[in-house]
């Protein structure tokens, strides 16, 4: 079971495209700072510092709101390199920041609100120039934004399906952007400037076009590359294998470990699509496999889908791949259905005859939850793979590991400094990922060596 560490052979599949993290951050910061710069360049007679501060918060908060459309549009340029989970984490953090800035700004002004023009004050130094419609649009945007953010945070408690929430979130955000633009153009001291007004209108158009892309253009593209549902079978306790075959092979390429939003037995314009990691290897194309755990309305009724029905994919997405990463060996830490992208990585490594040592730590509550146990055993013959099953509730006579992914387990299997140059891939329930990431970091593994995939994006 010992392998000679060496570089992996060159992969024949595409590298995930996308902007590097620092570039993405710089673009977001530039977009956010742009209205401040435009406002500052306009000048004008001085106002109380509280007014300037309130306006500054509003300008930044409003610009952040537009950045949110780009972050949540699943654009490969945005999330291809850094990972959609990180991008969605930023989306949630930015939303809370924008909400805070926009909610507090009206209360900070020192200058009185005078709802009509003062002929001696064309630069709006002596008054906040809000007329009736401008106040209305501002208040409506203010309330709607708060509702959207609170509903997103408490999404699981809402009395309607995820798809309804998602559509209302997108359309609601566009409405906030429209109302906010109306408010800014009418009320803002600086936004009446043609450059800043043009900037807001440009961002509004860009926001609308992200929704057109997501809900219209992307489904149209998917129509041109349909898939067929070849098989759906239960492979473990509450866990299913979905197999698709491409009707027009060659149009879909991915890197092992990536995921796709999948629409099964419905039109690509349907809002019912779900993100699943691809469990098969790129080498298996035109066949694809997904391993899916029952979690809610959709995943608990997979047996009702028609074999032979059409399927559509939005993807590939995600950065949970070996592309652009070098490691002398690879450790996979999978909790439950977190095995799905690991299967893809292992299957592709076997197809490529990857010579590196691999270690798979695969945790489940009980043995009935283990998926593709026989194939994992067989992979040991095709790869330098060490396979360790970890069970929370082991059967009598179990000789494998018992318990959870805790510090003790990592101490037993993560052998540093021997694994100092290895890569560590983690996927599973959020608490498991957090524990493993903390444990690995505590054992001296560098953050850049750890790659995690989260099946939920929520910051909590
Ligand atoms: C990147 C990624 C990869 C994933 N890979 C797998 C996998 O390989 N196997 C697997 O079993 N599960 C995977 N999941 C989780 C899977 O998407 C959800 O369990 C599934 O969508 C739940 O749908 P539901 O209608 O059955 O449950 P619901 O009760 O409707 O949803 C449960 C939760 O799942 C999430 N969810 C539901 N629909 C969507 C959606 N359209 N987009 C984003 N999140 C959604 C939400 O957080 C929701 O609160 C992955 C999730 C992500 C984000």
């Amino acid at each position: 079971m010992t392998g000679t560490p060496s570089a992996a052979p060159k992969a024949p599949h595409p590298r995930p495209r996308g902007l590097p993290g620092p570039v993405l951050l710089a673009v977001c910061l530039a977009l956010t700072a742009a209205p401040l710069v435009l406002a500052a360049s306009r000048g004008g007679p001085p106002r109380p510092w509280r007014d300037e501060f309130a306006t500054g918060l509003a300008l930044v908060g409003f610009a952040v709101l537009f950045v949110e459309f780009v972050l949540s549009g699943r654009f490969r340029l945005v999330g291809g390199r850094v990972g959609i989970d990180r991008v969605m984490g930023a989306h949630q953090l930015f939303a809370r920041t924008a909400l805070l800035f926009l909610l507090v700004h009206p209360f900070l002004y020192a200058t009185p609100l005078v709802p009509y023009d003062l002929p001696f004050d064309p630069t709006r130094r002596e008054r906040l120039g809000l007329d009736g419609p401008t106040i209305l649009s501002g208040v409506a945007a203010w309330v709607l934004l708060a509702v959207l953010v609170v509903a997103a945070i408490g999404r699981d408690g809402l009395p309607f399906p995820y798809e309804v929430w998602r559509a209302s979130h997108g359309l609601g955000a566009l409405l906030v952007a429209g109302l906010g633009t109306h408010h800014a153009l009418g009320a803002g001291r600086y936004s009446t400037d043609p450059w800043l007004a043009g900037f807001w209108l440009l961002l509004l158009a860009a926001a609308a076009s992200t929704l057109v892309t997501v809900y219209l253009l992307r489904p149209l593209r998917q129509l041109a590359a349909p898939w067929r549902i070849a098989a759906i079978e239960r492979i473990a306790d509450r866990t299913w294998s979905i197999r698709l075959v491409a009707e027009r092979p060659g149009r879909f390429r991915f890197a092992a470990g990536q995921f796709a939003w999948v629409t099964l037995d419905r039109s690509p314009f349907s809002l019912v699509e779900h993100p699943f990691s691809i469990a098969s290897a790129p080498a298996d194309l035109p066949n694809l496999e997904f391993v899916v755990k029952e979690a809610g309305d959709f995943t608990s009724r997979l047996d009702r889908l028609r074999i032979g029905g059409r399927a559509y994919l939005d993807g590939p997405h995600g950065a949970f791949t070996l592309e652009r990463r070098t490691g002398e060996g690879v450790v996979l830490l999978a909790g439950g259905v977190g095995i799905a992208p690991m299967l893809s990585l292992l299957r592709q490594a076997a197809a490529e005859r990857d010579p590196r040592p691999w270690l798979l730590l695969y945790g489940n509550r009980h043995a009935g939850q283990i998926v593709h146990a026989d194939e994992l055993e067989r992979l040991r013959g095709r790869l330098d793979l060490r396979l360790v099953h970890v069970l929370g509730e082991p059967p009598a006579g179990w000789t494998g590991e018992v318990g959870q992914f805790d510090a003790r387990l990592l101490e037993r299997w993560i052998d540093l400094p021997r694994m100092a140059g290895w890569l560590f891939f983690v996927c599973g329930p959020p608490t498991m990922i957090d524990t493993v990431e903390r444990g690995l970091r505590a054992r001296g593994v560098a953050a850049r060596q750890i790659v995690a995939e989260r099946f939920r994006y929520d910051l909590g």
Side-chain angles (χ1 to χ4, degrees):
M1 276 296 157
T2 50
T4 318
S6 63
K10 194 150 175 44
H13 35 79
R15 290 174 153 202
R17 282 180 290 145
L19 295 175
V23 176
L24 195 59
L25 190 65
V27 172
C28 289
L29 288 178
L31 274 176
T32 310
L36 285 182
V37 174
L38 287 170
S41 68
R42 185 185 177 200
R47 288 192 303 175
W49 73 266
R50 273 178 56 188
D51 286 23
E52 297 298 355
F53 183 60
T55 298
L57 284 186
L59 292 175
V60 170
F62 198 39
V64 169
L65 204 78
F66 286 107
V67 169
E68 292 290 77
F69 283 88
V70 181
L71 292 184
S72 58
R74 300 182 202 161
F75 297 106
R76 247 174 269 171
L77 191 67
V78 176
R81 284 275 283 277
V82 294
I84 286 199
D85 53 347
R86 284 207 189 139
V87 171
M88 292 310 286
H91 172 76
Q92 294 170 12
L93 202 65
F94 286 6
R96 291 165 203 205
T97 312
L99 178 69
L100 181 72
F101 285 12
L102 293 170
L103 286 195
V104 299
H105 90 274
F107 302 106
L108 299 179
Y109 285 98
T111 305
L113 192 158
V114 180
Y116 46 82
D117 280 336
L118 301 173
F120 57 86
D121 181 31
T123 59
R124 295 183 181 175
R125 191 182 167 199
E126 305 291 333
R127 66 170 191 119
L128 292 179
L130 284 83
D131 56 10
T134 326
I135 295 178
L136 262 183
S137 58
V139 171
W142 194 86
V143 172
L144 188 55
L145 178 65
V147 170
L148 285 184
V149 176
V150 170
I153 294 170
R155 195 185 61 218
D156 283 346
L158 296 178
F160 39 80
Y162 181 89
E163 291 72 27
V164 176
W165 166 78
R166 190 181 145 213
S168 60
H169 189 72
L171 291 175
L174 189 60
L175 195 56
V176 171
L179 289 166
T181 305
H182 177 267
H183 175 77
L185 298 189
R189 183 196 205 207
Y190 298 111
S191 295
T192 47
D193 175 74
W195 282 100
L196 192 46
F199 179 74
W200 292 134
L201 290 172
L202 199 71
L203 289 191
L204 184 62
S209 60
T210 61
L211 294 188
V212 171
T213 306
V214 170
Y215 294 111
L216 191 67
L217 301 184
R218 216 171 266 165
L220 276 175
R221 258 206 318 271
Q222 292 173 29
L223 266 184
W227 296 74
R228 199 162 34 75
I229 304 176
I232 296 180
E233 67 177 307
R234 195 172 167 279
I235 51 171
D237 183 25
R238 298 180 57 217
T239 310
W240 298 77
S241 160
I242 303 174
R243 290 179 192 277
L244 306 182
V245 58
E247 291 199 344
R248 295 190 196 145
R251 295 201 168 206
F252 183 86
R253 300 197 315 149
F254 70 103
Q258 287 194 289
F259 71 94
W261 262 271
V262 186
T263 305
L264 294 168
D265 206 12
R266 284 170 185 269
S267 147
F269 295 97
S270 145
L271 292 176
V272 184
E273 52 166 5
H274 293 263
F276 295 122
S277 296
I278 303 170
S280 50
D284 301 327
L285 283 170
N287 298 299
L288 277 190
E289 185 193 8
F290 298 94
V291 171
V292 176
K293 175 94 184 276
E294 292 175 15
D297 293 353
F298 176 78
T299 47
S300 302
R301 294 187 203 139
L302 295 173
D303 53 337
R304 297 192 196 170
L305 297 169
R306 277 180 312 136
I307 306 300
R310 281 267 168 89
Y312 299 94
L313 300 187
D314 169 15
H317 293 285
F320 193 74
T321 75
L322 281 163
E323 309 304 316
R324 289 198 173 94
R325 295 190 171 99
T326 47
E328 291 161 5
V330 185
V331 179
L332 306 177
L333 301 111
V337 75
I339 191 68
M342 312 293 193
L343 280 167
S344 179
L345 289 165
L346 286 169
R347 287 165 164 170
Q348 186 64 21
E352 289 175 359
R353 299 182 194 288
D354 187 315
R356 291 175 289 188
W358 288 66
L359 166 65
L360 170 62
L361 293 171
Y362 179 20
N364 280 288
R365 191 161 53 79
H366 62 83
Q369 294 173 323
I370 299 174
V371 301
H372 293 319
D374 294 345
E375 185 186 347
L376 287 173
E377 278 300 324
R378 283 198 303 277
L379 279 169
R380 291 174 53 185
R382 300 174 59 203
L383 269 179
D384 178 5
L385 168 66
R386 182 140 201 197
L387 170 61
V388 180
H389 285 287
V390 186
L391 290 185
E393 296 167 14
W398 175 255
T399 53
E401 282 287 344
V402 176
Q404 316 251 339
F405 281 93
D406 54 17
R408 279 201 357 252
L409 184 86
L410 297 182
E411 205 176 307
R412 268 200 300 285
W413 289 100
I414 307 306
D415 175 12
L416 293 168
R418 185 175 74 89
M419 294 178 170
W422 288 35
L423 292 169
F424 298 81
F425 285 77
V426 195
C427 185
T431 46
M432 173 251 171
I433 295 183
D434 293 341
T435 309
V436 169
E437 280 187 330
R438 263 199 312 274
L440 291 174
R441 299 282 288 122
R443 291 190 60 67
V445 177
R448 72 187 139 71
Q449 289 171 263
I450 305 172
V451 192
E453 181 77 286
R454 289 173 191 270
F455 285 178
R456 281 190 70 105
Y457 297 135
D458 307 330
L459 285 179

